[in-house]
Short mmCIF file of all heavy atoms in Angstrom, two decimals:
data_model
loop_
_atom_site.label_atom_id
_atom_site.label_comp_id
_atom_site.label_asym_id
_atom_site.label_seq_id
_atom_site.Cartn_x
_atom_site.Cartn_y
_atom_site.Cartn_z
N LEU Q 66 -16.58 9.46 6.29
CA LEU Q 66 -17.11 9.20 4.94
C LEU Q 66 -16.38 8.02 4.33
O LEU Q 66 -16.99 7.10 3.77
CB LEU Q 66 -16.96 10.44 4.06
CG LEU Q 66 -17.24 10.23 2.57
CD1 LEU Q 66 -18.68 9.79 2.32
CD2 LEU Q 66 -16.94 11.49 1.76
N VAL Q 77 -10.70 2.98 -1.42
CA VAL Q 77 -10.55 4.44 -1.45
C VAL Q 77 -9.07 4.81 -1.46
O VAL Q 77 -8.28 4.26 -0.68
CB VAL Q 77 -11.23 5.09 -0.23
CG1 VAL Q 77 -11.08 6.62 -0.27
CG2 VAL Q 77 -12.70 4.71 -0.16
N ALA Q 81 -5.34 15.40 -0.42
CA ALA Q 81 -5.93 16.62 0.13
C ALA Q 81 -6.50 17.50 -0.98
O ALA Q 81 -5.98 17.52 -2.08
CB ALA Q 81 -4.86 17.38 0.89
N HIS Q 188 -25.91 22.59 0.82
CA HIS Q 188 -25.51 24.01 0.87
C HIS Q 188 -26.29 24.86 1.88
O HIS Q 188 -25.77 25.84 2.40
CB HIS Q 188 -25.52 24.65 -0.53
CG HIS Q 188 -26.87 24.83 -1.12
ND1 HIS Q 188 -27.49 23.87 -1.85
CD2 HIS Q 188 -27.72 25.88 -1.07
CE1 HIS Q 188 -28.66 24.32 -2.25
NE2 HIS Q 188 -28.83 25.52 -1.79
N LEU Q 251 -29.47 43.37 -1.64
CA LEU Q 251 -30.78 43.77 -1.10
C LEU Q 251 -31.19 42.87 0.06
O LEU Q 251 -31.69 43.32 1.09
CB LEU Q 251 -31.81 43.69 -2.24
CG LEU Q 251 -33.20 44.23 -1.97
CD1 LEU Q 251 -33.14 45.70 -1.56
CD2 LEU Q 251 -34.07 44.06 -3.22
N PRO Q 262 -19.64 49.48 -0.53
CA PRO Q 262 -18.56 49.02 -1.41
C PRO Q 262 -17.29 48.81 -0.59
O PRO Q 262 -17.10 49.50 0.42
CB PRO Q 262 -18.36 50.19 -2.39
CG PRO Q 262 -19.44 51.16 -2.11
CD PRO Q 262 -20.03 50.87 -0.78
N LEU Q 332 3.98 44.89 7.43
CA LEU Q 332 4.12 46.29 7.85
C LEU Q 332 4.04 47.19 6.62
O LEU Q 332 4.84 47.07 5.70
CB LEU Q 332 5.49 46.50 8.50
CG LEU Q 332 5.55 46.49 10.03
CD1 LEU Q 332 6.97 46.78 10.47
CD2 LEU Q 332 4.58 47.49 10.65
N VAL Q 340 -2.48 38.84 8.19
CA VAL Q 340 -3.10 37.90 7.25
C VAL Q 340 -3.11 36.51 7.89
O VAL Q 340 -2.08 36.03 8.36
CB VAL Q 340 -2.33 37.86 5.91
CG1 VAL Q 340 -2.90 36.79 4.98
CG2 VAL Q 340 -2.36 39.23 5.25
N LEU Q 349 -10.41 25.68 7.79
CA LEU Q 349 -9.78 24.36 7.75
C LEU Q 349 -8.29 24.43 8.04
O LEU Q 349 -7.67 23.43 8.37
CB LEU Q 349 -10.01 23.72 6.38
CG LEU Q 349 -11.42 23.11 6.27
CD1 LEU Q 349 -12.02 23.35 4.91
CD2 LEU Q 349 -11.40 21.63 6.60
N THR Q 423 -59.63 23.90 -8.54
CA THR Q 423 -60.99 24.42 -8.67
C THR Q 423 -61.42 25.27 -7.46
O THR Q 423 -62.30 26.11 -7.57
CB THR Q 423 -62.01 23.27 -8.81
OG1 THR Q 423 -61.75 22.32 -7.77
CG2 THR Q 423 -61.89 22.60 -10.17
#
Side-chain angles (χ1 to χ4, degrees):
L66 169 62
V77 180
H188 70 272
L251 188 58
L332 261 183
V340 175
L349 281 141
T423 50

